Amino acid sequence: MNQPPHLRQRSALQAYYFALVLFITLLSLAAVSLLSLESFTPTMVLGGAFASLLLSALFFTRYRPSQRMTRPEWGVVALVLLAFALRSNTAIDVYGGQDPGVYTNVASHFAQHGSWIIKDPLLDELADRKDLQDYYVATTLRRTSQNTTGGWYGNMLPGVYLKDLQENEWVSQFYHVNTVWLAIGEWLFGQERKGLPLALLSSLTLIAAYLLTVRVCASQAAGIAAAFLLATNAAHSYIGTFPVSEAVAGFFFLSALAMLSAGFQFTSVLPFAALFLTRITGFLTAPLILISLGWMVIKRRDVKAAWTGFGILCAYGVSVVWGLTFSGPYARDIYRGKLGVPPALLEHAASTFLAVGVVWLLCCFIALRYRERLLPLCKRVIHYRVPLTIAALALIVVAIAYRGYLLGFTDHYAQHRWFGVRWKMAALGVDSLRYLSIYTLSLMLSPLGILAFIIGLASVCRVAFTRSSLAPLALCSIGFFAALTVKQLTTPYLYYFGRYLVSELLPLAIICAAIALHSLTRYLPRLKHLILPAYCLAVLVLLYPSITARLKIREGRQFFEAMSCVNEATPGRSVLLIDKKDFPEVPIVTALRFSFHKPTFGIREADFSEPGKLNDLITYFQSKGYTVYLLSSHDSWKTKEGFHRVLRIPAVVRKVGSRAAPPTKISTLVHPIRLYSLQKPDTLPEICKKVEEYGR
């Protein structure tokens, strides 16, 4: 079968990688579709995988490579294996209350129940005791209430929102692609290794970085340098082990850019669609891509770019409707509260995006119709590409400097809810500047890397004016640089908040840095074989403390073992009463409810001080077939009649992180847990003996 001329010399690595990206994308879309139909089961997902594999094979057959894998391409494959080895020690973060715990715990619910709807395990069972049900809603289900239009709002736990209290329906906060991959990982590798699919996707991002770098500067050495720096980067490898959406989003984002730059415009719509269903930040990505596609339409009379833009608009529109339907409270909070989108537009999101898509096509075809009149303007823009690029970068730098001055040397942000009150970053003088996102990026790249990034960014933007296929790469690079250093001015804590820089900006920065170093070889031809290896070695030495610190521990392991201990010590059909006094309810209850499927019932000791009241609650649960246990932070329950202390263990949380400094320190937080039972057990599970050692 004849191939289009611009694809005939395509590399073998590119062909294999794009087929793999297509398989992963189609499987992701199939998995979230099955989840929405409440049919997310191993058998159904296996069927989706088979269909995805068939379509990917057809794609590969259509665009079979014209040459074998070269040695540099095999070198990139070796780097992918190295990257996966560095990321394989994945975190098992069931600690509730923050994004990683939400993703991990909800993934266990998806794997167990196969539905996006979350049912509270006790709410319906308490229906025959209205007094206990009301108490349960007040103490265990947080801030549940009904608005004037009949809609419900509130949350069971942070990250699990109320959909309808009467129907006992709750929904996960976040979009679902990342979570379904964690659920698939749990099926394949068990709870402790469910993050391996995310580590794999993070590692595969290296190939996209290699392809993009080679596309810009036609240098395999520069591409290998970019892949190596991304493989060994401490921040990128850390996020690859972390159960958040940034690793998956970065894979789809860079893969879609690689497809666009290689001429696979229609195919690139699919990874963009998966990206929009992974994170809600499509409102930033989509406009940047559309602007670059508009340039391609005018510059080279590219009708495919017009239809690709329409496809991306439709994909983003579907993601908005998806979010409003399946993650409604979170999506409405972002679009209404953060972005100020009028409610009327959200109510008619599907028709709104369809109308916008039609307007996009009309504008593109009008531009094509009057292209001859627009070309002189394009030529003037191209003529002034160097000053325009310098002006854009200078504007970003000035904006960062101005806002940094306001942050550190005035009281402008002293009462700011985030900068001043929450994190106390404002009005500290020079110390405030260490919280700037540009400084955080320099910690991730090294000072040498940030300088190379700025130079490479200027080079990429300059080239993109004449090579319009690189416009998406250039515009996304400068757009995310501005958004994540000017708009998102600060990064209060690494790595947790630094992850927002990792999914798009960090890989783009590494690509730009490799391009800058390749450009330097043209001015120093005698050193051209030394510049890239020397740069990689220098960056590796500068980032070595961060890399080694990240490899020292497996985050979440000890806390997970503590929760496993509680789970094994409360076998069968059991309910856990939670003494709310001084108890870390959110992190522990989230893990027990979702990862270990243990129902919990929050109590206040003062509410059960009357004789017989607690026994009435216990008797009620026993009549339902439950074995009753009690969790507390205190030893006082062992003096109460009928209770035996089964366990006294520490729930240890260890993390790599720091504030405004290279993340080389390991912080430790300990939650003391006491488990009580009405019957004294004969023996303890082996896992509990191991956990008890952590407290000694």
Side-chain angles (χ1 to χ4, degrees):
M1 184 178 292
N2 292 330
Q3 298 176 356
H6 68 287
L7 298 177
R8 288 177 186 160
Q9 300 303 316
R10 184 180 61 258
S11 72
L13 179 62
Q14 176 178 289
Y16 289 122
Y17 181 66
F18 286 173
L20 179 60
V21 169
L22 187 59
F23 168 73
I24 293 170
T25 300
L26 291 172
L27 179 55
S28 300
L29 297 176
V32 294
S33 299
L34 290 170
L35 184 71
S36 69
L37 297 172
E38 302 185 45
S39 301
F40 182 69
T41 64
T43 303
M44 296 296 289
V45 172
L46 185 62
F50 179 77
S52 302
L53 183 62
L54 179 62
L55 292 172
S56 303
L58 291 173
F59 171 85
F60 182 78
T61 302
R62 171 69 178 88
Y63 299 111
R64 190 185 302 274
S66 56
Q67 54 188 351
R68 294 182 178 182
M69 292 270 289
T70 63
R71 286 185 179 180
E73 290 175 342
W74 281 114
V76 176
V77 173
L79 287 174
V80 170
L81 296 177
L82 170 65
F84 185 69
L86 292 174
R87 292 157 175 77
S88 60
N89 196 25
T90 54
I92 173 61
D93 198 336
V94 297
Y95 188 85
Q98 291 185 317
D99 298 358
V102 174
Y103 281 116
T104 303
N105 289 300
V106 171
S108 290
H109 170 84
F110 289 170
Q112 177 83 5
H113 299 284
S115 172
W116 64 283
I117 292 290
I118 297 171
K119 295 284 188 179
D120 183 271
L122 291 181
L123 190 60
D124 291 336
E125 289 221 37
L126 294 169
D128 57 346
R129 281 289 300 269
K130 191 67 167 59
D131 58 328
L132 291 180
Q133 189 182 58
D134 290 343
Y135 184 84
Y136 177 71
V137 170
T139 61
T140 308
L141 308 181
R142 299 146 43 95
R143 299 190 295 275
T144 55
S145 53
Q146 199 168 16
N147 59 31
T148 55
T149 62
W152 290 92
Y153 59 94
N155 61 329
M156 177 194 299
L157 290 159
V160 181
Y161 286 92
L162 176 61
K163 184 176 184 287
D164 191 317
L165 187 61
Q166 293 175 342
E167 297 295 328
N168 188 15
E169 293 181 346
W170 310 75
V171 294
S172 169
Q173 174 178 350
F174 300 114
Y175 285 16
H176 298 94
V177 168
N178 184 68
T179 318
V180 298
W181 275 110
L182 286 168
I184 292 171
E186 183 168 326
W187 289 337
L188 294 175
F189 310 111
Q191 274 196 327
E192 291 195 59
R193 293 292 179 181
K194 67 170 66 175
L196 284 176
L198 275 58
L200 177 61
L201 296 182
S202 172
S203 304
L204 289 173
T205 307
L206 272 64
I207 302 178
Y210 168 83
L211 294 174
L212 284 167
T213 306
V214 172
R215 180 68 56 179
V216 175
C217 60
S219 168
Q220 290 182 316
I224 290 175
F228 174 79
L229 291 170
L230 197 58
T232 56
N233 184 270
H236 196 270
S237 63
Y238 175 88
I239 296 303
T241 68
F242 213 42
V244 288
S245 61
E246 278 68 24
V248 179
F251 166 77
F252 287 125
F253 173 74
L254 246 66
S255 299
L257 282 187
M259 285 183 167
L260 263 183
S261 68
F264 292 86
Q265 296 174 341
F266 292 159
T267 311
S268 71
V269 173
L270 290 172
F272 275 123
L275 169 64
F276 298 150
L277 290 174
T278 304
R279 290 173 69 195
I280 201 171
T281 51
F283 56 81
L284 175 58
T285 307
L288 295 172
I289 298 298
L290 288 173
I291 293 171
S292 60
L293 289 172
W295 176 254
M296 294 165 67
V297 169
I298 299 172
K299 176 72 169 52
R300 63 185 193 189
R301 201 180 186 86
D302 194 339
V303 178
K304 285 178 63 178
W307 285 106
T308 301
F310 179 76
I312 289 173
L313 269 172
C314 290
Y316 180 54
V318 168
S319 77
V320 173
V321 175
W322 172 278
L324 295 172
T325 304
F326 299 104
S327 299
Y330 172 65
R332 287 182 176 85
D333 176 62
I334 295 296
Y335 285 118
R336 288 182 186 175
K338 302 294 192 299
L339 301 178
V341 177
L345 287 181
L346 292 180
E347 291 175 7
H348 303 90
S351 56
T352 298
F353 275 97
L354 183 60
V356 172
V358 172
V359 170
W360 160 263
L361 286 177
L362 286 174
C363 291
C364 287
F365 289 126
I366 290 172
L368 289 171
R369 173 69 178 80
Y370 296 99
R371 180 172 176 268
E372 298 302 323
R373 298 183 183 181
L374 294 173
L375 278 179
L377 177 61
C378 292
K379 290 179 180 178
R380 289 184 64 85
V381 170
I382 293 171
H383 178 73
Y384 290 106
R385 61 186 181 277
V386 174
L388 285 173
T389 301
I390 294 173
L393 292 175
L395 185 62
I396 294 172
V397 172
V398 169
I400 294 171
Y402 175 68
R403 293 200 70 193
Y405 167 76
L406 292 179
L407 177 71
F409 301 97
T410 73
D411 60 358
H412 182 78
Y413 292 116
Q415 301 303 316
H416 190 276
R417 181 179 64 86
W418 184 257
F419 298 154
V421 178
R422 172 67 177 87
W423 288 103
K424 297 178 174 54
M425 298 181 285
L428 300 177
V430 175
D431 286 343
S432 292
L433 303 183
R434 298 169 63 200
Y435 293 100
L436 293 178
S437 292
I438 187 67
Y439 177 76
T440 303
L441 188 62
S442 72
L443 294 179
M444 294 178 178
L445 293 170
S446 79
L448 188 61
I450 196 75
L451 177 61
F453 161 53
I454 299 296
I455 297 171
L457 179 58
S459 177
V460 171
C461 291
R462 178 181 57 81
V463 171
F465 279 104
T466 53
R467 294 173 58 189
S468 57
S469 63
L470 299 178
L473 173 63
L475 200 57
C476 285
S477 297
I478 200 165
F480 277 102
F481 180 46
L484 297 177
T485 57
V486 179
K487 182 65 175 69
Q488 185 184 301
L489 182 64
T490 64
T491 301
Y493 186 85
L494 281 173
Y495 284 106
Y496 182 78
F497 291 105
R499 72 187 197 273
Y500 301 117
L501 301 172
V502 170
S503 55
E504 294 96 1
L505 182 56
L506 181 64
L508 292 173
I510 289 174
I511 291 169
C512 290
I515 292 168
L517 269 294
H518 171 72
S519 301
L520 185 60
T521 61
R522 291 183 295 179
Y523 300 101
L524 299 170
R526 293 184 179 180
L527 301 177
K528 66 179 182 179
H529 297 300
L530 296 177
I531 290 176
L532 284 168
Y535 172 77
C536 291
L537 181 61
V539 170
L540 198 61
V541 170
L542 290 170
L543 296 180
Y544 179 77
S546 299
I547 296 171
T548 54
R550 198 209 67 72
L551 296 174
K552 284 179 181 177
I553 64 169
R554 184 182 178 208
E555 288 198 6
R557 178 179 61 84
Q558 292 176 317
F559 185 82
F560 176 80
E561 289 174 348
M563 297 300 99
S564 297
C565 167
V566 173
N567 176 57
E568 293 188 23
T570 57
R573 182 176 164 85
S574 55
V575 63
L576 301 177
L577 305 183
I578 306 296
D579 176 13
K580 295 175 72 71
K581 182 180 179 182
D582 303 325
F583 191 77
E585 184 178 7
V586 167
I588 291 176
V589 168
T590 303
L592 292 174
R593 277 184 165 241
F594 294 107
S595 286
F596 298 98
H597 316 291
K598 292 290 183 183
T600 63
F601 188 104
I603 63 171
R604 301 185 184 94
E605 188 175 359
D607 297 336
F608 291 87
S609 58
E610 297 178 14
K613 196 169 183 179
L614 183 59
N615 285 334
D616 174 59
L617 176 64
I618 294 172
T619 302
Y620 173 79
F621 278 122
Q622 289 174 335
S623 70
K624 295 282 187 178
Y626 287 101
T627 303
V628 180
Y629 297 88
L630 186 143
L631 277 177
S632 176
S633 293
H634 303 285
D635 289 319
S636 58
W637 288 93
K638 69 180 181 181
T639 63
K640 298 184 184 300
E641 186 176 353
F643 281 103
H644 302 277
R645 193 177 72 195
V646 178
L647 292 173
R648 184 183 181 186
I649 58 172
V652 180
V653 184
R654 302 184 72 204
K655 292 182 178 293
V656 176
S658 64
R659 290 194 66 185
T664 58
K665 296 180 180 179
I666 298 174
S667 61
T668 302
L669 177 65
V670 179
H671 297 298
I673 298 177
R674 279 77 167 170
L675 175 67
Y676 297 89
S677 172
L678 297 174
Q679 295 180 346
K680 195 169 184 179
D682 296 329
T683 59
L684 288 177
E686 287 298 320
I687 185 69
C688 295
K689 297 176 183 178
K690 179 180 179 181
V691 173
E692 284 181 334
E693 292 295 324
Y694 296 146
R696 296 176 183 174

